[in-house]
């Protein structure tokens, strides 16, 4: 399986992290984002949104880090990471949406501006971040993991841009339960350190 | 099953539309958003993000329209709407993320400003909208439905804010394949008209 990858991308790190934890082999192909390779063939034909990561497995091409996590976990990762019952799947999807929406447009956006100079609204991104982190910290005050009482792809989808948040100027100091979740996740066998 | 609902919300309409198409009974409870009921108990205890919809089924409470679609389809809707195989699930999740991220922060945000006076960046939302609609229109030029060659919860997640886009000042005229997808979806048995 080939992953079109950028090491610094938190969305790509979601996939690499899960593959490492679940012991799934990925062939990494670095995409030359600074030269716009994600906006040209072959990438743009695989993902019309012009983003990494993209996964190719035989004839299948998948965009979107959350969708790739579902595919890898469901096909190769075993039921611990992505269960077969719809209630468990839905509990996880709550956090996949949280990653694609709330985290992406706060912590991730702030980092894109600060670290890579993206023309986004940094003040708005920083404004939203404490509420996003507070929801997460409160949940983790009562739960060791985001869903199902065990590590799942929900944790792999949310952790990357949270642990990378200081690169966007976001202070994680006020969130002790997030810090302890980091420790639990980083102690899992196979854990791949952040880029 | 109880759905905490607001008729004008596109995210709530996703759930009501799917329930109508799949013939699932929902007890609707209107949330008094103008008076902030979504930021107070009992709603804030069910969804710390302070948003509707929220679904209650026995002891289970689920936030996030995408997660609710997965739960309803998987539990009560049958495999046509949400299959058991991970490849099909992942193809759908690509579009659930598209709904939670790209559509939410373009078409939906523009409508929130124009129709409800939300303090969001309307210019940025309108700027993003043509690219989002172009990706959708190009996909629908080659596919009758968003995923799996048949109606799925992917269509139910994306259709609402696209069909409501003119309420945000977005012109749908340039997208003929989206118009024909509307016709196909609106011809499905049980279709619930937009609010």
């Amino acid at each position: 399986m080939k992953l079109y990858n950028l090491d610094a991308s938190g969305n790509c790190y979601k996939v690499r992290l899960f593959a490492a934890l679940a012991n799934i082999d990925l062939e990494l192909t670095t995409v030359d984002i600074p030269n716009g390779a994600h906006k040209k063939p072959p990438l743009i034909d695989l993902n019309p949104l012009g983003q990494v990561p993209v996964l190719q497995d035989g004839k299948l091409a998948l965009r979107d880090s959350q969708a790739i996590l579902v595919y890898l976990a469901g096909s190769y990762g075993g039921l611990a990471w992505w269960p077969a019952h719809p209630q468990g799947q839905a509990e996880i999807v709550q956090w996949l949406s949280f990653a694609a929406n709330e985290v992406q447009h706060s912590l991730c956006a702030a980092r894109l501006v600060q670290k890579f100079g993206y023309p986004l609204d940094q003040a708005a991104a920083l404004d939203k971040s404490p509420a996003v982190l507070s929801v997460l910290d409160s949940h983790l005050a009562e739960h060791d993991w985001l869903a199902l009482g065990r590590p799942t792809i929900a944790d792999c989808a949310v952790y990357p841009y949270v642990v990378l948040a200081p690169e966007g100027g976001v202070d994680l100091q006020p969130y002790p339960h997030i810090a302890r979740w980091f420790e639990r996740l980083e102690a899992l066998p196979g854990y791949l350190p952040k880029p």
Side-chain angles (χ1 to χ4, degrees), chain A:
Chain A
M1 270 182 300
K2 182 187 284 192
L3 185 73
Y4 289 93
N5 176 59
L6 180 75
D7 276 348
S9 154
N11 281 316
C12 294
Y13 176 44
K14 294 176 191 177
V15 179
R16 297 197 313 274
L17 170 64
F18 172 65
L21 292 170
N23 204 18
I24 296 168
D25 272 340
L26 293 177
E27 177 199 337
L28 301 182
T29 298
T30 299
V31 177
D32 187 359
I33 303 273
N35 285 312
H38 52 311
K39 305 292 185 194
K40 301 173 198 160
L43 253 289
I44 198 70
D45 298 329
L46 297 175
N47 180 4
L49 294 172
Q51 299 163 344
V52 288
V54 171
L55 182 80
Q56 259 192 324
D57 189 10
K59 285 184 180 169
L60 176 70
L62 279 175
R63 66 166 189 263
D64 181 60
S65 50
Q66 285 69 235
I68 295 170
L69 290 176
V70 167
Y71 176 72
L72 287 179
S75 301
Y76 304 104
L79 292 173
W81 298 98
W82 175 248
H85 56 93
Q87 180 174 333
Q89 292 175 345
E91 286 184 29
I92 289 173
V93 171
Q94 290 183 131
W95 294 103
L96 301 187
S97 290
F98 185 76
N101 179 355
E102 283 81 4
V103 173
Q104 186 77 23
H105 292 271
S106 59
L107 310 178
C108 169
R111 178 173 177 262
L112 285 173
V113 177
Q114 178 120 336
K115 191 174 166 86
F116 302 103
Y118 274 51
L120 301 170
D121 185 342
Q122 187 173 22
L126 289 172
D127 264 5
K128 287 181 200 170
S129 295
V132 170
L133 290 167
S134 291
V135 165
L136 188 62
D137 198 64
S138 298
H139 183 79
L140 290 166
E142 295 182 8
H143 303 84
D144 280 353
W145 304 99
L146 294 187
L148 312 188
R150 62 174 190 260
T152 68
I153 58 170
D155 302 284
C156 296
V158 174
Y159 168 83
Y161 283 116
V162 180
V163 78
L164 294 170
E167 295 186 4
V170 176
D171 182 13
L172 294 177
Q173 208 63 39
Y175 309 103
H177 305 102
I178 290 178
R180 287 201 275 284
W181 173 60
F182 285 175
E183 290 169 10
R184 286 190 290 278
L185 200 148
E186 291 164 10
L188 292 174
Y191 169 75
L192 180 77
K194 66 179 177 186

